Amino acid sequence: MPGMTAASDMGPVDFSMHIVSLGSSAMVSMGKVPAPAGEEIAKDLHTARFLIDVLAMLQTKTKGNLTENEDALLQRLLHDLRVAFLDAAK
């Protein structure tokens, strides 16, 4: 598909990459950032809320099993997404 990067070009998959990907998808759903391929996507707060909830669930399920950096990243990401969601919902 045009505009898509091969998985081998993205490096190894790790927890941080996964949660940042989910967060980026939530931001796209809120209309806060453009979609990766530049296409216009309608704001979808339901999907954004779902992705934020998935990240919150991962935070609960991985408690005590993350590195300090992973835990800090997840906390910051959730905070930023929740603030962005409140703004987008206005």
Side-chain angles (χ1 to χ4, degrees):
M1 292 184 142
M4 298 206 49
T5 304
S8 61
D9 295 341
M10 297 172 65
V13 176
D14 64 7
F15 185 77
S16 295
M17 177 187 280
H18 181 60
I19 64 172
V20 168
S21 176
L22 290 172
S24 296
S25 295
M27 292 296 272
V28 169
S29 295
M30 288 184 270
K32 297 291 185 181
V33 297
E39 71 270 17
E40 180 134 352
I41 295 179
K43 189 187 294 189
D44 182 357
L45 295 180
H46 179 74
T47 296
R49 177 81 256 167
F50 175 79
L51 291 167
I52 293 168
D53 289 346
V54 167
L55 287 164
M57 179 269 304
L58 287 172
Q59 183 180 44
T60 300
K61 294 291 187 177
T62 59
K63 188 172 183 112
N65 292 310
L66 300 178
T67 66
E68 282 185 44
N69 288 339
E70 290 169 336
D71 187 54
L73 174 62
L74 185 51
Q75 286 183 38
R76 282 191 315 271
L77 183 60
L78 275 168
H79 176 267
D80 292 347
L81 289 171
R82 288 170 173 150
V83 169
F85 184 85
L86 291 174
D87 183 60
K90 289 181 187 175

